Amino acid sequence: MNNFFNPSRPGPRPWPNRKKQTNKSAIFLCSISLLLVVFVFVFFITYSEIPKALFSISAFSGSVQFPQCRSEILTRTLLGQKFLWYAPHSGFSNQLSEFKNAVLMAGILNRTLIIPPILDHHAVALGSCPKFRVLSPSEIRSSVWNHSIELLSTGRYVSMADIVDISSLVSSSAVRVIDFRYFVSLLCGVNLETLCSGELAEQSQAYESLQQCGYLLSGVRGNVDKCFYGVDEDCRTTVWTYKNGDADGRLDSFQPDEKLKKKKKVSYVRRRRDVYKTLGHGTEAESVAILAFGSLFTIPYKGSQLYIDIYKSSKIKPLVEKVDFLPFVREIMSAGKKFSSESIKAPFLCAQLRLLDGQFKNHRESTFMGLNQKLESLSLKNPGPIHVFVMTDLPESNWTGTYLGDLSKNSTHFKLHFLREQDELLVRTQNELASAGHGQKFGSIPMSLDSIKKMEHHCSPRRLSNVQLYIEEAICSCASLGFVGTAGSTIAESVEMMRKFNACSSGTQTALL
């Protein structure tokens, strides 16, 4: 009985029922056993999902000395240069935005930028800056390191410079750069053939060297004198500025509200800090070989930039103008123009419809409404069928019952076009990008002929992801009847930027209307 264990029960306690007591003991033991089984199962699943490199790094002993940081190694292999590394995350458009910020930071701090790979979509996530809930800089650097090594080992490593044309930045000496693969090879003492082969044997010297480098560049063990400096400030505490007249260290206009402070026990205070005064000449960070940020992502929020507010600085205006628009490499733009002129063969509207991911799935009707309004407007001016290039994450098999399904059936008034994964144009562009190896052509530290051959032979990607996205954006830049994008989508912002700078101006399409 439940009352048996209630000390407030009146009267004498009866002798316990031994049969019921035995049953309760059995139930208790079964419950404990079940919990143990669940615990072991969850641990196994969790262990299997932990990136191998991360688990190895976290198991390192306290006696790590980081041999890569010996002064003679830094001077000989890195030619005395100072470098900037950061941790990109989320989707491609966010990663490109961070890359632009990294170029500005490298220019301000006079450092050589380590060009990162393009990470798988959402393989690394930052968290929410507005809610003051994000990964720490060391955590996100560790995640990016692990994923970068995974991309190398699986033949899927694609440099940001393989996709985005940075030749104008490098040729004008606006920024010095080095490929992440080459940098790791030099710093960690692992030759490119081994680094890109994906056949690192555990307990080998190369494997151990990469572990040490991962530990170093993540900053989980803190800073290393004259070698590594990890920037611990993130969007919860800091808005980076640069010579904009603000008093260094003043409070930012956006702070956690009292409700959030109480609910999440947030103690952060956001201050506006000059990046050069904090990390530039005369500071502790200035003399260190490798300066590492966490995320460099920023967006406007409640009247403030969430992390970086340097675009309006007159001191770096020429560099800001150079990074404002970075075009895709010629293979991607050529594919977009070819599809526009040879497959669509007519003036067309581009509709970028993000319908499944995150917040966008809750605003499907408003997204369709914007497209409907644009098409109705065009119908008044165009007697024939209106050609529409559709760029969407909603599979064609799921169009039934949606506005897209209605449009596809109305062939008298509308003709829809879209790019499929198996299209020959997409496959050919993938092969051309892999062969071109644009990312291997830039570097402030000259590569030997042997290193160049190894890079070309062993480090070219066997598989490329996201190529369809890049070509679709290029096609949309050529849409002479206009563009309808999903509100709040960074992909839409990227297309708008391409159209603003007439990325397709050399193609066969007419000027933007």
Side-chain angles (χ1 to χ4, degrees):
M1 300 291 291
N2 290 334
N3 286 339
F4 173 74
F5 295 104
N6 186 352
S8 63
R9 181 183 182 276
R13 297 181 178 178
W15 289 100
N17 186 315
R18 295 187 180 275
K19 183 177 180 180
K20 292 184 178 181
Q21 188 177 37
T22 302
N23 289 341
K24 288 184 177 181
S25 299
I27 292 173
F28 177 77
L29 290 174
C30 288
S31 299
I32 294 296
S33 300
L34 181 61
L35 286 173
L36 287 173
V37 170
V38 171
F39 175 80
V40 171
F41 177 78
V42 170
F43 177 79
F44 175 79
I45 294 297
T46 305
Y47 177 88
S48 65
E49 291 181 349
I50 294 176
K52 194 170 186 179
L54 177 59
F55 198 83
S56 301
I57 288 173
S58 64
F60 247 54
S61 67
S63 60
V64 179
Q65 298 300 314
F66 301 123
Q68 297 85 357
C69 288
R70 293 171 186 160
S71 58
E72 66 273 14
I73 294 178
L74 289 176
T75 301
R76 182 179 70 253
T77 61
L78 303 182
L79 302 183
Q81 292 191 37
K82 296 175 182 177
F83 298 87
L84 186 147
W85 189 53
Y86 71 101
H89 58 85
S90 300
F92 171 76
S93 297
N94 284 358
Q95 293 176 47
L96 178 56
S97 174
E98 287 188 89
F99 178 73
K100 294 178 181 180
N101 289 332
V103 170
L104 295 178
M105 289 295 198
I108 291 171
L109 299 173
N110 192 25
R111 287 180 173 271
T112 300
L113 176 62
I114 302 171
I115 300 179
I118 296 174
L119 309 186
D120 291 340
H121 186 70
H122 289 320
V124 178
L126 172 65
S128 173
C129 284
K131 295 180 181 179
F132 290 74
R133 187 177 65 240
V134 297
L135 288 181
S136 70
S138 61
E139 287 175 320
I140 197 167
R141 285 193 297 262
S142 179
S143 295
V144 170
W145 168 266
N146 293 334
H147 188 60
S148 299
I149 299 302
E150 177 191 341
L151 292 174
L152 279 169
S153 65
T154 55
R156 297 184 296 115
Y157 188 104
V158 178
S159 168
M160 179 61 75
D162 284 329
I163 304 301
V164 177
D165 186 357
I166 67 168
S167 57
S168 62
L169 290 175
V170 177
S171 61
S172 65
S173 300
V175 65
R176 300 186 306 273
V177 299
I178 186 171
D179 182 86
F180 174 83
R181 292 162 291 190
Y182 190 44
F183 176 81
V184 169
S185 175
L186 293 174
L187 179 68
C188 307
V190 179
N191 66 58
L192 289 166
E193 181 177 3
T194 301
L195 180 66
C196 299
S197 68
E199 298 178 357
L200 284 171
E202 290 191 37
Q203 311 306 322
S204 68
Q205 182 61 46
Y207 187 86
E208 182 179 348
S209 294
L210 285 178
Q211 284 183 317
Q212 292 172 339
C213 276
Y215 219 133
L216 171 68
L217 294 176
S218 67
V220 295
R221 283 297 178 86
N223 299 332
V224 181
D225 186 41
K226 302 298 181 183
C227 179
F228 176 86
Y229 185 97
V231 178
D232 290 330
E233 292 83 357
D234 59 28
C235 60
R236 294 170 290 188
T237 63
T238 305
V239 179
W240 291 118
T241 65
Y242 179 61
K243 295 186 177 181
N244 63 352
D246 282 350
D248 188 36
R250 77 172 177 84
L251 291 177
D252 184 56
S253 61
F254 173 62
Q255 301 288 342
D257 58 37
E258 294 303 319
K259 183 179 180 181
L260 182 64
K261 286 182 179 180
K262 185 176 181 179
K263 182 179 180 181
K264 301 294 184 180
K265 297 182 180 179
V266 170
S267 60
Y268 302 108
V269 175
R270 282 166 52 91
R271 297 187 180 276
R272 299 177 68 81
R273 304 183 62 187
D274 188 292
V275 66
Y276 190 78
K277 290 181 179 178
T278 306
L279 304 170
H281 182 69
T283 66
E284 177 186 355
E286 188 267 340
S287 62
V288 175
I290 306 165
L291 176 69
F293 285 90
S295 163
L296 284 178
F297 181 69
T298 188
I299 55 172
Y301 187 78
K302 291 189 176 181
S304 176
Q305 281 288 339
L306 282 179
Y307 191 47
I308 298 172
D309 192 10
I310 58 180
Y311 274 80
K312 296 179 182 178
S313 174
S314 60
K315 299 294 182 180
I316 56 168
K317 185 177 180 180
L319 185 55
V320 169
E321 291 176 347
K322 285 184 178 295
V323 302
D324 194 18
F325 173 63
L326 296 176
F328 286 124
V329 294
R330 63 177 180 272
E331 288 83 1
I332 294 172
M333 291 308 304
S334 295
K337 296 171 186 178
K338 185 179 181 66
F339 186 92
S340 301
S341 62
E342 298 183 9
S343 296
I344 301 179
K345 302 178 183 178
F348 67 96
L349 171 76
C350 172
Q352 182 263 332
L353 308 172
R354 194 168 177 182
L355 304 170
L356 298 180
D357 190 25
Q359 61 174 326
F360 304 104
K361 60 186 177 184
N362 300 322
H363 303 284
R364 180 178 294 191
E365 293 307 316
S366 60
T367 301
F368 283 144
M369 185 180 298
L371 174 58
N372 178 56
Q373 291 173 348
K374 181 66 175 179
L375 289 176
E376 286 184 349
S377 174
L378 289 174
S379 296
L380 298 175
K381 306 174 185 177
N382 296 274
I386 298 173
H387 292 258
V388 183
F389 176 75
V390 179
M391 177 183 183
T392 183
D393 55 355
L394 183 67
E396 187 182 0
S397 58
N398 293 343
W399 286 10
T400 303
T402 70
Y403 182 61
L404 276 177
D406 296 340
L407 288 179
S408 64
K409 294 177 182 177
N410 191 353
S411 57
T412 302
H413 297 95
F414 306 102
K415 184 171 178 57
L416 304 188
H417 307 266
F418 40 90
L419 195 61
R420 296 181 174 90
E421 288 184 9
Q422 66 272 24
D423 283 356
E424 189 271 338
L425 175 68
L426 180 58
V427 175
R428 185 173 69 249
T429 305
Q430 288 176 327
N431 294 333
E432 290 175 353
L433 287 171
S435 300
H438 293 292
Q440 303 170 16
K441 300 174 182 177
F442 304 106
S444 60
I445 298 180
M447 295 177 65
S448 67
L449 183 60
D450 181 58
S451 294
I452 293 174
K453 289 182 178 179
K454 285 184 177 180
M455 180 80 87
E456 292 175 345
H457 183 68
H458 298 287
C459 298
S460 295
R462 296 189 292 274
R463 287 186 292 139
L464 284 82
S465 59
N466 292 333
V467 175
Q468 182 173 341
L469 169 66
Y470 312 143
I471 298 177
E472 287 177 334
E473 290 191 19
I475 294 170
C476 287
S477 74
C478 297
S480 58
L481 294 183
F483 171 69
V484 176
T486 304
S489 169
T490 52
I491 296 174
E493 293 174 4
S494 177
V495 173
E496 293 282 15
M497 184 65 72
M498 294 178 71
R499 293 173 63 79
K500 175 183 175 182
F501 283 86
N502 298 309
C504 193
S505 60
S506 61
T508 59
Q509 295 295 312
T510 58
L512 299 177
L513 297 182

